[in-house]
Structure formats: structure tokens, C-alpha cells
Amino acid sequence: MAGTGTRNRRERLRAETTAEIKQVALALMAEGGPDAITLRAIAREMGMTANAIYGYFATRDALVTTLIRDLYTALADTVGAAWDATAGEDPATRIRAWAGAFRDWTLANPEGFRLVYGDPVPGYQPPEGGPAPDAAQRVCLVLTAVADAAWPHARRLYGDSEFQWSDFDPGLLAKVRPAFPDLPPAAVALALSIWGRLHGLVSLEIYGHLNTQTTSPEKLFQEELTHLVRTLGIPPAA
């Protein structure tokens, strides 16, 4: 029993230290940008020796990969839960829930957004297949589900699109076509267009470009959602 208790305590302390390392890394990024993430700087902030921190992460790249994987997974969980929670609702309500969850998560995790979608960490070499392939696929599939829900209304507006399957990356098609076999190329293009509109507006907010332009970024975002629903031909939510 004593041996088990000692092992459990050691595992708990290791988990707590690992979580603190990741928190300090994000704090350093918030202050100095992505190139501020170094194991030596983190060790210095935590009062650890450089050799001690290497016992948790063998390289800076291993830490960055873990950060991106954890953050991307949290984002995938958030937007996926918002989409699933509105199953059976009208498309306008579901799109607003999905988009709102994405913005809320981003505002609560600005450094996470920057790591996943924005600022590259200088010299970082991601593992083969990317740092978070499962999370990336989940986010992609929810986005495609948004286009799928909109397509019965949007088909008459976008059905004459000239997009062909050859216009898309094979890796993207390998994710979405098995899950949505009835969607045409135009619907996949629509999914990317929806993503670009909302992602772009949130990016402007995260990077501070809206601060001197509007005092109501939330209102601007909601107006954009209203316009998006309208351009998709979807009746507004009740």
C-alpha cells in the first residue's frame, strides 16, 4: 500500500508540474510571442534547473507539439459539443451555436488560437502528419456538417458552382467525402467559405485590429452571423 501511495503521489506531482510547464509556456508567449517559448526560460520562471525540465519534455518541439495537441483537442471538444447540443434545431440556430462556441473559446484562449492557427513558433518542426491530426479532422468534420445542414437551403444559390473534386486537397477530401458522401464539390467549397468569414473576423479581434475600429466586436460578430445565414438562404431562427 505504501508503495502504491508513493507512486500515486509521484504521478500526481508529475502531472501537476507538467500542467504548470504548459501554463508558463503560454504565459511567456503572451508576453513575448511564440519565440519566447524555450525550455530554459520556462525552467527559470519555475525555479527549476534546465536538466530537470528536460525530464518532462525532451525538446522544445515536444512541448510545442503537446501544447498544440491539447489546445486543438479542447477546441474540437468545444465546437463539437455546441453542434451536438443543438441537434434537431433549425440550421440558423445550430450555426449560431457553433460559431459562438468557436469565438468564445478563442477569446478565452488567445494564445491557444495563435498557436493552432496563427503565429508559427520559429524553428518548430511538427511531427509527420501534424501535431494534432485527430483534432484537426474533428474540427473539419464539424465545419462540413455546418455546410451539410445549410445545403438544402443553399443549393439553389450555390448549386451552379464550377468547383470540381480536383480543386481540393486530397487530404481534405479523404476526411469529408466518406462522412458526407452526398455533398457535391460546391458544398465543400461553401464550408471553406463559411470558415473563412468567421475565422477571419475572429482573427481580427484576437490580434487587436478591431480595437480602434469598434467598441462592439460582439455585435459585429452577431451581425456577420445574421448576414451569413441570410446569404445561405436559411430562414432566420425563431
Side-chain angles (χ1 to χ4, degrees), residues 19-228:
E20 185 179 357
I21 290 170
K22 292 187 284 188
Q23 290 170 359
V24 171
L26 292 176
L28 288 172
M29 178 179 171
E31 295 175 3
D35 54 348
I37 300 177
T38 70
L39 294 183
R40 289 187 178 276
I42 294 169
R44 188 165 54 248
E45 288 288 325
M46 295 177 62
M48 299 174 65
T49 66
N51 286 339
I53 203 167
Y54 286 118
Y56 293 87
F57 294 97
T59 65
R60 188 281 311 261
D61 282 6
L63 170 59
V64 173
T65 294
T66 299
L67 284 172
I68 295 175
R69 184 185 65 238
D70 290 353
L71 291 161
Y72 214 161
T73 298
L75 173 59
D77 290 344
T78 298
V79 295
W83 185 254
D84 292 341
T86 55
E89 299 284 350
D90 58 272
T93 296
R94 302 196 75 189
I95 290 173
R96 285 186 175 276
W98 161 78
F102 170 67
R103 179 175 179 267
D104 289 346
W105 183 91
T106 298
L107 294 179
N109 300 274
E111 282 71 46
F113 177 86
R114 291 169 61 189
L115 269 180
V116 172
Y117 292 119
D119 303 341
V121 179
Y124 170 62
Q125 295 295 321
E128 185 177 356
D134 291 341
Q137 178 164 341
R138 289 169 57 201
V139 170
C140 178
L141 290 179
V142 172
L143 172 62
T144 311
V146 171
D148 182 56
W151 191 244
H153 304 278
R155 180 187 293 112
R156 63 183 178 82
L157 301 172
Y158 300 91
D160 60 352
S161 167
E162 296 182 358
F163 275 100
Q164 304 295 324
W165 291 123
S166 59
D167 293 318
F168 300 98
D169 178 76
L172 172 65
L173 297 183
K175 296 175 185 176
V176 302
R177 292 194 72 182
F180 301 93
D182 297 329
L183 282 187
V188 176
L190 181 61
L192 296 178
S193 178
I194 294 170
W195 179 240
R197 288 179 65 167
L198 300 184
H199 184 276
L201 192 57
V202 170
S203 294
L204 289 175
E205 187 173 2
I206 286 297
Y207 283 94
H209 299 304
L210 292 182
N211 290 350
T212 58
Q213 310 299 324
T214 177
T215 58
S216 303
E218 164 70 16
K219 187 175 182 179
L220 183 65
F221 186 78
Q222 293 302 328
E223 288 283 348
E224 178 66 10
L225 285 180
T226 298
H227 188 255
L228 171 63

